[in-house]
Amino acid sequence: MFTLKQSEEALKDKRRLKWACRRGMLELDVLFEPFVDEAYDHLSEEDKAIFRRLVTCDDPDLFAWFMGHKKCPDAELQHMVDLMLARVKV
């Protein structure tokens, strides 16, 4: 399963959210940082909450989900993974 690293409530501040998106894995950084800069503000409030929840997940889980090694067991989080991946595909 996956665990929470930080409080979702603390991530409502966009500065903290941007900091939380700095994962330390290049494969994740190139997905998360541009997404926050370019797309986050255009999400619905519900999707913003889902994104904040996604950011609290552990890096190995995120890597596996984004690289397609496994599906996220949470449908809402998987939706956000799919949304983010669709933005980077040409």
Side-chain angles (χ1 to χ4, degrees), residues 42-76:
H42 304 289
L43 295 175
S44 67
E45 289 304 315
E46 180 181 350
D47 280 346
K48 285 179 182 179
I50 294 168
F51 180 79
R52 289 191 301 268
R53 204 158 51 89
L54 182 69
V55 171
T56 66
C57 296
D58 289 327
D59 285 355
D61 290 325
L62 291 169
F63 182 82
W65 300 337
F66 280 101
M67 298 303 127
H69 298 161
K70 64 180 182 177
K71 279 233 178 239
C72 177
D74 181 303
E76 288 182 334

Side-chain angles (χ1 to χ4, degrees), residues 2 8 11 17 24-25 30-31 35 38 44 49 64 69 78 85:
F2 50 92
E8 181 186 345
L11 297 177
L17 181 61
M25 290 180 90
V30 298
L31 291 167
F35 187 83
E38 300 164 11
S44 67
H69 298 161
Q78 184 62 51
L85 287 174

Side-chain angles (χ1 to χ4, degrees), residues 7 19 30 34 37-38 40 50 64 73 88:
S7 163
W19 181 256
V30 298
D37 289 336
E38 300 164 11
Y40 180 78
I50 294 168
V88 296

